[in-house]
Each structure stands twice: as structure tokens, then as C-alpha cells.
Amino acid sequence: METPNQNGAEAHIKVSTLNCIDLSNPDIHQSVSLLKQACLDCGFFYVVNHGISQEFMEEVFAQSKNFFRWPLNEKMKLLRNEKHRGYTPVLDELLDPDNQVHVGDYKEGYYIGVEAPEDDPDSEKPFYGPNVWPADGVLPGWRQTMEKFHHEALEVAKAIARVIALALDLEVDFFDKPEMLGKPIATLRLLHYEGQISDPSKGIYGAGAHSDYGLITLLATDDVMGLQICKDKDAKPQKWEYVAPIKGAFIVNLGDMLERWSNCIFKSTLHRVLGNGQERYSVAYFVEPSHDCLVECLPTCKSEENPPKFPPIRCGTYLSQRYRDTHAELSVYNKHQT
């Protein structure tokens, strides 16, 4: 399938064919085989029959729209904090500085993490702490919907991680350990693309080309096409393919941390979002191990011929640096706080 030219974007970009993992499939060997093939090829695949109802997903999207329709001055009162909780305005994030000239991403977002009270010792660590919520009664049911989705999406991520563990010849519960997904850094991000038309020739993107930082990402989207992947980041020129939305499915991709863990056997793939003038909503769920987890080459992914390519690193240290590299300093928003 090919798409028409998007006002300056590349013409005739193809739609990628991705494997589909059915989490209700009793044949785990088939699921492992399909997932392993996807992880070796491009690091992107669909997940269906994941246990979250379509009715509830529609509620999540409806509540997301309710928030983003607020006036900007009201949304700015919930501006993200140093823990990366809360609202991120248009242009806040710059994912591809080499190609996004002078501007960041043409999207706005809202971060929601694992809720940790201020008196919890873990709340001192980056990425742990209390969330930023709209005032009670302003958006009825909003917080409850997002907390429920956060909980249910984590269970889906754990189920996918078990299949990944088997695909890496590890014990099925490898990622279930307390220092991994037993106490994860799991972040829900609501996203809204306002209907801007992207133009790669001018460095204008809905989201610039990037790979995700963590273990895996789950993405639910509306029916507006926009996500693209580049299976070979070193190709000249790079070839981009659209990922089609599938109703009821999550689009799942591997992050850099899993590529690092697997010694580059599994791929974390470049992706971006191009706007075509249509408003677009998506819900991303980023899953990383605990703050103190040491990410080092897996025993099944190294040998004398293939020694570890990366030194060990703490998850929290790695994520903190990646967020600093891609987000605006909060001080630039001081004028909005008065």
C-alpha cells in the first residue's frame, strides 16, 4: 500500500507489514516465534487480545480529548515537573536535533507515572513520586480512568515481557523480578497532534525521528495514520514506512534498553510521526525496569565471538540523561507561572 504526497513530505511511502502477537493464543511457541522474528527484523509488532476492552480504550481516548480541549493557560497550570509528571506543551520536546531546525515536536502531551506518595522513600528518586492531577471535579472520572489504564497496561506489558524472555532463551519470569518489572518505571503519556502538516524538507515533524529509551513501549492510536518506522537507520537515504492503526491492537516497539540488554540482537528502531493536517490522538505507555536495575548484557546474548558491546548502567541514570537530552529546561516556562 502507498500513500499520497503530504505537502512536502516524501511521496509513495509504503505501509509496513508487521507480525501480530495474540496474547490469548495457547500456542506459546508460535507467539515466541512471531515475536522473535519481529524483534530481529524491526523491533515493532502488533499485540491483540491483550485483555483491555475496546469500550475502556474509547473511554481513555475520550478523557484524553477532554483534557487537551482545555485552554492553554489552564493546561499550563499542570506543567510537567522535574519528575516528568504533568503537561508538556507543543514544541517542548526535541527528539531529532539534527533535522528539526529551530523547533521541537508539534505535539502536546501529559505524563502520568507510578503513583508514589511524597513520604515514600522512593519518591526521592527520579521518575518516582506523586502525579500531577487536574483538580477534583474539573474533569469527572479523569484520574480514575487514567489510573485504571496505567494498571491494566502494566499487566499487558508484563505478559509481553514474558514472551520476550522466552525469545531470548531466558526463564519466562526473568523480567518479573522485583528489581525489574516488579517495581517498574512505567509512564503513561497522552498525546495530541493538533493537525499541523509536517514537512521533513523544512525540519517540521509531529514527532522527530527517535528510538525509545526503555524496555518496551505500548501505543494505542486513533484511526489517523501518522507513525512511521525506519528499519535501517544507516541506509542512505533512509526509507520510511507507515505503521497502520489496527482497532483494538497495541503497536509495540522495543526500546534502547532492551537493545542494550540483548547486545544488539534485538532492535530498537527509529520512528517518527508525520502530520497530514488531521488532528491525531494517541496513548503511549513506556515500560522500564526499576530505578536501581543494572542493565548489562544478558548471559544468553554474549559469547567469545560476540562480547558485550556496552558497559553496565543503572536504569535511572540512563533514563535521566535521555530525558535531559530531549526536553526543554523548565525555566523557559517561567513566564507562564506568574
Side-chain angles (χ1 to χ4, degrees), residues 125-139:
K125 298 174 181 176
F127 307 105
Y128 292 145
N131 283 301
V132 175
W133 298 108
D136 289 342
V138 179
L139 290 171

Side-chain angles (χ1 to χ4, degrees), residues 9 11 18 28 33 36 41 62 77 98 103 128 144 148 168 186 197 207 212 215-216 236 252-253 309 320 331:
L18 301 180
I28 188 64
S33 176
K36 188 169 187 175
D41 175 41
K77 293 176 183 177
D98 291 339
V103 297
Y128 292 145
Q144 291 83 352
K148 180 182 177 184
L168 287 167
I197 296 177
D212 289 347
L215 184 67
I216 56 172
K236 304 290 183 188
V252 180
N253 65 281
K309 296 177 173 62
S320 294
S331 59

Side-chain angles (χ1 to χ4, degrees), residues 94-103 199-205 208-209 238 240 270 272:
L94 180 64
L95 292 169
D96 185 9
D98 291 339
N99 292 304
Q100 289 176 278
V101 185
H102 308 306
V103 297
D199 188 344
S201 68
K202 296 179 180 177
I204 298 173
Y205 300 87
Q238 291 179 336
W240 291 91
L270 273 182
R272 68 185 187 185

Side-chain angles (χ1 to χ4, degrees), residues 241-255:
E241 301 176 2
Y242 277 98
V243 175
I246 295 181
K247 193 175 184 69
F250 280 116
I251 299 165
V252 180
N253 65 281
L254 311 184

